[in-house]
Amino acid sequence: MNNELAPYAEYVDTGIDWLNSIPAHWSVEPGRSCLTYRSNKNVGMQETTVLSLSYGKIITRSLSKPSGLLPASYETYQIIEPQDIVIRPTDLQNDKTSLRVGQANTRGIITSAYLRLAPRGELVPDYAYQVLHSYDLMKIYYGMGSGLRQNLDFNDFKSLPIPIPPAEEQYAIVKYVRHVERKIGAAIQVKRQLVTLLAAQKRAIVHQAVTGGLAPSVEFKEAGVPWVETIPSHWAMVPIKRLLQDIEYGTSQSPEGYGPIRILTMGSIRDGKVSVPASGNSVAVPPGLTVRHNDLLFNRTNSPDLVGKVGIYDGPDDETISFASYLVRLRVRRECCAQWLCYALNSPLFWAYARGHALLSLHQANLNPTRYGQLLIPLPPKKEQEEIARYLCRREREIDAVINRIEREISLLREYQTRLTADVVTGKLDVRTAAAALPDVDPHHADLITANDADEEGLDGDDLTEESM
């Protein structure tokens, strides 16, 4: 993509470690001379369009479906104008996530906890955003800030060096960088779609195996439950509780924040597995509330789309590991294969069926373990359970290997974009000729695809309320 690019003919040293040299005809100005800090409050509700900074993009929030903590009044928010640059300046010490910088395409309001900057003088707005965005990707801001949580304010930007090419060159740089964003964004989008298809294939394989078995030809009978039509004729439909020794709620005592005992939480269950925290946060737990090898944990309280997920603990029995009260331990009888049961309970159609029995309250759902234990699932003989578990484990590894390779390719594309953008914006590569050959594209067109857009699927945006700051 950058085969046609070459360095400039002549450079001068800036004396700045991370900026090094710039083209000889460029200048470097401190932020105080080319950036303006603005903070116009929304007094009298002059503006009602609420904006969010979400993964490096300024987006419009829906007031009909608010998320996160809400402000007492939107009059405390600040007014944002098109081409303003918005920076999330808080908690650099603990949050090393990039994409703290966004550029507004429309007028609206955003939390006053964020910095609103506008370029002035010879600094072109779109190029100013690219510079500050590149600094974000280069992790420059993490060496700045003050206070216990390392927060930024405008004083940090007053002395920030800004490379400034001639205006026509700034436009060329922006044009080329956006071309790169579109190309890489489109490539990542294709790869994300492939990951989605592979994940769907994995779910379909699981459902087919746990409801129909592995035999190429077998007689079927009616299952008698809404989530599966037929099962092999030699299988039975049984309530989940018949396969369990016991169903046990987790500990309700608050962790002390220290101690040797590790406590499993909602986040510990992912993709049918139980992930154990690296360190403990409790001194003691009630007797019997620990997990053993092949115990299943079921999430009885979560958001409506996640409640009921199940994970299997495959660690040793000699470690003291407990689980929080919103998890339920399912201890499997010896006559049942625990790995098979975990696959069956995570089958997408069964999981959706189980979630349908949850009680909703605000943004939470609660799936009663007693009611859950009465739900019917297909039961093959134990030998078939073990064969199904081995088969699904093998297929899962094969598909996950492909997904991991694609995710690595996406990561490499993003790294390439970051490095290329930084090199172009700071003058390490000359894009003037290449940009002149590119078609003009509206930078605010709805069809503009960027790598960040392609990566946002399935992610939540930042919580932008002042209360959350």
Side-chain angles (χ1 to χ4, degrees):
M1 189 176 295
N2 67 335
N3 292 337
E4 75 275 24
L5 304 184
Y8 286 83
E10 187 177 356
Y11 287 85
V12 293
D13 187 18
T14 65
I16 302 165
D17 289 342
W18 48 267
L19 191 56
N20 296 317
S21 58
I22 61 171
H25 63 288
W26 289 23
S27 64
V28 176
E29 301 291 339
R32 68 173 63 88
S33 68
C34 55
L35 295 172
T36 299
Y37 171 68
R38 294 176 176 172
S39 183
N40 300 333
K41 293 294 179 65
N42 190 36
V43 178
M45 289 297 291
Q46 305 167 52
E47 181 59 59
T48 58
T49 301
V50 181
L51 305 176
S52 290
L53 175 59
S54 179
Y55 301 97
K57 299 293 177 184
I58 303 289
I59 61 174
T60 301
R61 295 181 68 189
S62 171
L63 293 185
S64 62
K65 297 180 180 179
S67 61
L69 298 173
L70 299 178
S73 170
Y74 283 108
E75 289 191 343
T76 64
Y77 273 37
Q78 58 182 322
I79 296 175
I80 300 295
E81 300 289 350
Q83 296 193 316
D84 278 350
I85 299 169
V86 176
I87 298 176
R88 179 165 57 91
T90 57
D91 204 16
L92 276 75
Q93 181 67 32
N94 299 315
D95 180 6
K96 300 298 183 183
T97 306
S98 290
L99 304 179
R100 290 176 167 269
V101 181
Q103 186 180 30
N105 295 329
T106 186
R107 178 182 166 92
I109 53 175
I110 203 166
T111 171
S112 294
Y114 287 2
L115 292 177
R116 173 197 177 193
L117 304 180
R120 60 189 176 93
E122 299 178 358
L123 193 58
V124 173
D126 290 336
Y127 173 76
Y129 161 72
Q130 292 295 344
V131 171
L132 297 179
H133 175 57
S134 293
Y135 286 2
D136 185 16
L137 297 176
M138 294 162 65
K139 308 293 187 183
I140 301 302
Y141 301 132
Y142 297 100
M144 300 163 53
S146 60
L148 182 63
R149 297 178 66 180
Q150 197 180 349
N151 296 333
L152 299 171
D153 60 31
F154 185 58
N155 288 326
D156 295 298
F157 289 87
K158 286 181 178 178
S159 57
L160 186 69
I162 307 293
I164 303 182
E168 66 274 10
E169 203 164 334
Q170 295 182 47
Y171 287 115
I173 288 171
V174 169
K175 185 179 183 181
Y176 186 84
V177 167
R178 284 177 172 155
H179 166 73
V180 171
E181 287 180 345
R182 288 191 298 274
K183 296 283 284 186
I184 292 181
I188 288 178
Q189 189 175 61
V190 170
K191 292 181 181 295
R192 285 293 186 205
Q193 290 169 348
L194 180 55
V195 168
T196 299
L197 291 174
L198 287 168
Q201 180 188 21
K202 186 164 66 171
R203 291 192 296 270
I205 289 172
V206 169
H207 181 73
Q208 171 60 35
V210 299
T211 60
L214 305 178
S217 60
V218 65
E219 290 187 5
F220 285 85
K221 64 182 179 181
E222 295 293 325
V225 293
W227 67 277
V228 58
E229 293 183 2
T230 61
I231 60 171
S233 57
H234 63 290
W235 289 18
M237 292 297 297
V238 300
I240 295 170
K241 64 182 180 180
R242 271 188 48 186
L243 309 178
L244 307 174
Q245 293 183 36
D246 60 52
I247 300 176
E248 193 72 56
Y249 286 84
T251 177
S252 57
Q253 68 184 46
S254 299
E256 294 87 352
Y258 60 90
I261 300 177
R262 288 170 284 178
I263 306 295
L264 302 173
T265 64
M266 286 189 290
S268 301
I269 301 176
R270 186 177 181 86
D271 297 328
K273 307 292 191 303
V274 171
S275 175
V276 180
S279 59
N281 63 355
S282 190
V283 175
V285 293
L289 294 188
T290 57
V291 293
R292 296 197 314 229
H293 183 73
N294 277 345
D295 277 348
L296 305 184
L297 288 175
F298 136 67
N299 196 327
R300 69 179 180 90
T301 301
N302 207 322
S303 60
D305 59 327
L306 292 177
V307 69
K309 63 180 180 176
V310 176
I312 187 168
Y313 172 69
D314 61 1
D317 290 342
D318 58 357
E319 296 187 18
T320 304
I321 298 170
S322 188
F323 50 104
S325 61
Y326 36 76
L327 299 180
V328 174
R329 187 188 65 200
L330 308 177
R331 183 153 287 168
V332 183
R333 292 183 183 274
R334 293 185 180 275
E335 309 87 72
C336 177
C337 173
Q339 292 89 348
W340 162 81
L341 183 56
C342 185
Y343 280 118
L345 298 181
N346 282 318
S347 170
L349 292 185
F350 172 78
W351 190 18
Y353 176 64
R355 291 200 308 268
H357 288 75
L359 300 178
L360 300 180
S361 175
L362 295 177
H363 301 299
Q364 289 288 316
N366 186 280
L367 187 52
N368 183 283
T370 301
R371 186 182 298 114
Y372 183 79
Q374 295 170 347
L375 299 179
L376 299 177
I377 64 168
L379 177 66
K382 186 175 181 182
K383 183 179 179 181
E384 277 191 68
Q385 296 175 31
E386 294 169 342
E387 291 173 349
I388 290 170
R390 287 194 295 269
Y391 167 77
L392 291 177
C393 184
R394 184 179 73 252
R395 294 302 311 273
E396 188 176 59
R397 284 198 303 268
E398 293 169 352
I399 294 175
D400 285 347
V402 177
I403 290 176
N404 289 338
R405 188 186 73 237
I406 296 172
E407 295 285 1
R408 178 58 181 161
E409 291 171 356
I410 290 173
S411 178
L412 290 173
L413 282 171
R414 293 176 63 193
E415 290 175 13
Y416 171 79
Q417 182 190 356
T418 296
R419 185 67 265 170
L420 180 58
T421 300
D423 285 347
V424 169
V425 168
T426 59
K428 304 301 182 290
L429 295 170
D430 185 353
V431 300
R432 290 174 292 184
T433 301
L438 296 174
D440 292 326
V441 177
D442 181 356
H444 308 308
H445 194 279
D447 293 335
L448 179 67
I449 300 174
T450 71
N452 295 332
D453 294 330
D455 285 344
E456 283 179 17
E457 182 176 351
L459 298 175
D460 294 324
D462 297 337
D463 186 354
L464 300 173
T465 61
E466 289 178 271
E467 289 86 343
S468 66
M469 297 293 117

